[in-house]
Amino acid sequence: MRVPLSWLREYCPTSLPGDELAVLLTNHGVEVERVLRPWAELDGVVVAKVLDVRDHPGADRLCVTTVEAGAGERQVVVGVRNMAAGDLVPYAPPGATLPGFAGPLERREIRGVPSDGMLCSPKELGISGDHSVILVLDDAAGPGGDLKAVLGLDDAVLDIEVNPNRPDLLAVLGVAREVAAITGEDLRPPDTSVSEGQDKAADIATVEVLDAERCPRYLARVVRGVRLGQSPVRAQVRLTSAGMRPLASVVDATNYVMLELGQPLHPFDLARLAGPGIVVRTAEEGERLATLDDVERSFKDEDLLICDMEKPVAVAGVIGGAGSEVSEETTDVLLEAAYFDPLTIARTGRRLGLRTEASIRFERGVDPEGLEPAAARAAALMVGWSGGVVAAGAIDVGDVPPRRKVAVRPSRARLLLGVDLSDT
């Protein structure tokens, strides 16, 4: 589990630097293998204001921009044209270094026009795989500011080895809870409230669970009127820091909450679900489904599938199906939050040769009481990043398994721990 330090500090405001915190956690049984700095190779990139954008005199696909980055105007040749006068963009002047680039940048001539460095796409900055646009920053950053500080690219990341009996550490909040217990700092969980519209989720879609043993609880929320786009840059930075690839706003919201709270979530395109509804059932022997990795897979009767009223649409707890994934055409989303039997997910994942971020968490055991806050949190982020309205209420099928009770003798605990505990 990779935990960006700035993210952890949102929930536990420790002032300890990354290296010291790593030693402290390791000494208390949470093994930090190493402290990463993903953008160590990024240096010298600053925020610049675009002053103008004009045609390149010798190339139709290129343009020429004038930017100001706090040290006078500079001219840059650019291969895309999504920026406009007044935009703030990342500018790598001569001498700057970028991840994956050999050596510092130099001033060069491109089709007869001098170019002082380059304007950067998310891919060139190592934030995401998007090379189609120049990254346009919000107005919070001023020209000349160090991009690493502005976007949090100077953050330390704790790389934690998580033991099978500690699924709570597969979440930033879980690690923050551990730090709070060790340091005595306050724990400040994220806000999981959500604003709802008038339409009720139960009037829009249905959920039926046919195997309550393998799926004790399934909760669905509905978000309507979304517009798929890019998630905020800082959210993309955190996802990348934690080892996940930013994709699009709706999917990023579910992955963000999974990393934050430890509850895997899955968004379905509601328009592509027959019914529209969800049926959770075991597979028929030999039943097939094309999954998100473009592989058609065959199932056994012990595998658990998420289906609509006609066909399978996902492998429960492991991977979604290609036929119901969200896309640029998606406007309405059914958001899944579920509690699956850990052994079922482990067996299916092992047989299929699939180990995903979701299956890692499900096979170790997620919190069955965490479904509702995680779904509400993800729905709120979707609306914030993609627009739309969250339907009122959730479709909640099943029960929370009863909590286990542990008998403890305070006198025995005092003897073993060497701590003076009260009987209450």
Side-chain angles (χ1 to χ4, degrees):
M1 177 67 187
R2 296 185 175 183
V3 180
L5 188 56
S6 64
W7 203 351
L8 183 151
R9 284 173 173 160
E10 281 191 11
Y11 312 137
C12 178
T14 177
S15 59
L16 292 173
D19 292 328
E20 290 185 25
L21 189 57
V23 172
L24 186 66
L25 283 167
T26 300
N27 288 341
H28 283 79
V30 179
E31 184 180 352
V32 180
E33 290 192 328
R34 53 185 174 164
V35 179
L36 304 172
R37 288 174 173 81
W39 285 275
E41 296 178 6
L42 182 70
D43 185 58
V45 181
V46 296
V47 177
K49 184 176 182 179
V50 177
L51 301 180
D52 65 49
V53 182
R54 55 197 184 276
D55 295 336
H56 189 291
D60 293 339
R61 294 186 179 182
L62 302 178
C63 64
V64 182
T65 68
T66 303
V67 300
E68 201 283 317
E73 297 181 4
R74 309 294 285 270
Q75 177 177 278
V76 184
V77 176
V78 189
V80 294
R81 198 169 185 162
N82 65 292
M83 63 287 176
D87 285 343
L88 296 170
V89 295
Y91 169 53
T97 59
L98 296 171
F101 281 66
L105 298 182
E106 299 178 353
R107 188 176 191 269
R108 58 184 181 140
E109 193 171 284
I110 302 176
R111 297 288 185 92
V113 176
S115 180
D116 292 322
M118 61 190 294
L119 304 187
C120 302
S121 69
K123 182 176 181 179
E124 288 156 348
L125 295 170
I127 293 174
S128 75
D130 188 1
H131 191 55
S132 64
V133 296
I134 297 300
L135 181 63
V136 177
L137 306 168
D138 58 40
D139 293 336
D146 179 20
L147 188 78
K148 290 180 78 168
V150 168
L151 296 184
L153 303 178
D154 53 357
D155 206 4
V157 179
L158 306 179
D159 190 4
I160 298 173
E161 176 68 27
V162 179
N163 293 326
N165 65 331
R166 293 300 306 271
D168 57 305
L169 297 179
L170 290 170
V172 177
L173 182 61
V175 178
R177 183 181 294 111
E178 198 76 12
V179 173
I182 295 170
T183 64
E185 298 282 358
D186 291 337
L187 183 67
R188 303 172 182 176
D191 181 11
T192 56
S193 62
V194 61
S195 298
E196 300 178 334
Q198 302 254 337
D199 296 337
K200 295 181 179 180
D203 294 336
I204 299 169
T206 62
V207 172
E208 184 179 9
V209 176
L210 300 182
D211 193 329
E213 184 177 346
R214 289 182 171 89
C215 178
R217 190 182 182 198
Y218 191 102
L219 183 146
R221 296 211 69 140
V222 175
V223 185
R224 306 180 85 174
V226 302
R227 299 179 304 278
L228 203 70
Q230 296 299 312
S231 52
V233 176
R234 288 168 183 80
Q236 293 185 50
V237 168
R238 284 187 169 177
L239 289 171
T240 300
S241 297
M244 297 204 71
R245 183 165 57 97
L247 297 170
S249 52
V250 168
V251 178
D252 287 354
T254 62
N255 287 336
Y256 192 94
V257 173
M258 178 185 67
L259 293 169
E260 182 180 61
L261 301 180
Q263 171 63 50
L265 304 156
H266 188 75
F268 295 99
D269 185 331
L270 188 62
R272 302 174 77 176
L273 295 178
I278 289 292
V279 178
V280 184
R281 62 169 174 81
T282 50
E284 297 176 7
E285 191 72 27
E287 197 167 10
R288 305 183 73 84
L289 170 68
T291 49
L292 285 172
D293 54 357
D294 295 324
V295 176
E296 186 170 284
R297 302 181 184 279
S298 177
F299 302 100
K300 295 185 175 294
D301 57 10
E302 64 180 8
D303 297 322
L304 189 67
L305 297 180
I306 309 299
C307 309
D308 62 14
M309 297 298 183
E310 298 175 355
K311 61 190 180 302
V313 294
V315 186
V318 181
I319 192 171
S324 60
E325 67 177 318
V326 296
S327 67
E328 292 181 356
E329 288 74 43
T330 300
T331 57
D332 298 340
V333 174
L334 185 143
L335 175 63
E336 169 193 281
Y339 175 70
F340 300 118
D341 169 57
L343 286 178
T344 297
I345 304 307
R347 290 191 188 108
T348 296
R350 191 176 302 115
R351 190 180 63 76
L352 296 177
L354 277 173
R355 199 158 190 261
T356 62
E357 291 287 344
S359 69
I360 288 170
R361 287 163 173 80
F362 279 125
E363 67 187 32
R364 296 186 183 202
V366 300
D367 179 6
E369 298 180 11
L371 272 57
E372 192 168 5
R377 172 73 167 159
L381 290 181
M382 279 187 196
V383 171
W385 298 353
S386 309
V389 177
V390 181
I395 310 166
D396 193 354
V397 177
D399 297 308
V400 177
R403 290 191 178 192
R404 294 179 180 178
K405 294 183 179 180
V406 179
V408 177
R409 286 183 293 146
S411 59
R412 180 63 175 167
R414 285 192 289 268
L415 180 63
L416 292 175
L417 298 176
V419 177
D420 187 16
L421 300 174
S422 68
D423 291 350
T424 57

